[in-house]
């Protein structure tokens, strides 16, 4: 759950670089959906991400910080790994 808590925190010292997290829809929904058990469904989290205005910023953050758990920017960890491999 620590990863989700990061989404809801605004970093005042970062001059708003992480300010997108305040506008993230996931910060207003059930965190369990974004960190499903292994083999669990990611469908509900991805539905939230589709309508989120900061989806691109979220994905960029996850890729830059090598987030290994949860749904970030509408992608699972496996999907983010594939995306990174294609970019290389």
């Amino acid at each position: 759950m620590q990863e989700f808590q990061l989404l809801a925190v605004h970093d005042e010292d970062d001059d708003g670089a992480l300010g997108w997290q305040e506008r993230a829809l996931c910060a207003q929904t059930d965190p369990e959906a974004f960190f499903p058990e292994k083999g669990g469904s990611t469908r509900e989290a991805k539905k939230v991400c589709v309508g989120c205005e900061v989806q691109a910023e979220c994905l960029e953050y996850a890729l830059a910080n090598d987030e290994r758990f949860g749904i970030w920017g509408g992608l699972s960890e496996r999907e983010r790994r594939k995306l990174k491999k294609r970019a290389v």
Side-chain angles (χ1 to χ4, degrees), residues 1-69:
M1 290 310 137
Q2 185 176 7
E3 290 88 355
F4 177 76
Q5 292 171 347
L6 176 66
L7 291 177
V9 174
H10 175 67
D11 190 348
E12 294 289 337
D13 298 326
D14 207 14
D15 292 330
L18 296 178
W20 61 268
Q21 292 179 348
E22 288 185 337
R23 299 186 323 274
L25 291 178
C26 60
Q28 304 164 29
T29 59
D30 180 14
E32 296 294 322
F34 293 89
F35 297 95
E37 295 293 323
K38 186 171 183 164
S41 176
T42 60
R43 187 176 307 136
E44 291 304 312
K46 289 180 176 186
K47 279 186 196 177
V48 172
C49 292
V50 167
C52 185
E53 69 180 72
V54 296
Q55 182 180 7
E57 291 93 331
C58 181
L59 180 56
E60 183 178 324
Y61 174 86
L63 293 171
N65 292 282
D66 199 27
E67 288 291 342
R68 296 185 186 259
F69 301 100

